[in-house]
Amino acid sequence: MNAQLTPRRLALAASVLSAALWLAGCGSPGAVPGQLSGAKAGASGAVPRASNAATARDYRRDAARHVYDLNRSRIYSGQLPPILYAVGTLQVNLDTGGKVVSMHWLRAPQHAPEVIAEIERAVLQAAPFPAATRLGAVTWTDTWLWDKSGRFQLDTLTEGQQQGD
């Protein structure tokens, strides 16, 4: 069979690709590209104070504080134990208004899928994040340090970790 690229075949291929991309974006409501779990968005409703951070690295502190403010009962107080249940590093892409556009796991705690879901849920529920007025759209990367109790710290604001014997 001779598969020549005729205008008709190109149009058909373009429409199939367009439909596939549209369907890919129609996942579960509240889901964003890059999610590994079925966690849903349940927006906090709170509109955070804008961030005046000049770099993505500076923005990390504002985003981490925002997550802490919305999860006070889930933050591990004091130094974390020497052995953690899970550690995950997640990049979160935010638009100019602080809405979560996508996620990308740099290190997902695959042994603990429930932690992946909890982290993704915490991120989605924290939206909108502080708008980065000097940066516009920004990528927030942080490492989630997860204790077996279900409480956590973010590396940006961690109180450290106890030394093992």
Side-chain angles (χ1 to χ4, degrees), residues 130-146:
T133 57
R134 295 174 67 188
L135 298 172
V138 65
T139 299
W140 166 49
T141 304
D142 218 325
T143 299
W144 296 68
L145 308 167
W146 207 269

Side-chain angles (χ1 to χ4, degrees), residues 37-153:
S37 76
K40 305 277 192 285
S44 66
V47 178
R49 194 171 53 212
S51 169
N52 198 28
T55 66
R57 187 172 184 84
D58 292 340
Y59 182 82
R60 283 176 53 175
R61 184 166 299 280
D62 293 335
R65 285 189 201 280
H66 180 65
V67 169
Y68 271 43
D69 287 346
L70 296 173
N71 291 279
R72 285 189 175 105
S73 65
R74 299 184 68 197
I75 304 303
Y76 192 98
S77 181
Q79 288 189 325
L80 290 160
I83 298 177
L84 296 172
Y85 175 63
V87 176
T89 303
L90 181 64
Q91 282 183 336
V92 180
N93 297 303
L94 304 167
D95 69 9
T96 56
K99 178 185 172 199
V100 177
V101 176
S102 66
M103 297 180 198
H104 174 70
W105 283 97
L106 299 176
R107 177 184 178 182
Q110 297 289 351
H111 69 286
E114 74 282 7
V115 172
I116 292 172
E118 284 301 312
I119 291 170
E120 290 180 351
R121 186 175 297 109
V123 168
L124 293 171
Q125 289 178 343
F129 282 81
T133 57
R134 295 174 67 188
L135 298 172
V138 65
T139 299
W140 166 49
T141 304
D142 218 325
T143 299
W144 296 68
L145 308 167
W146 207 269
D147 180 59
K148 64 183 177 185
S149 68
R151 294 174 296 152
F152 67 91
Q153 289 182 5

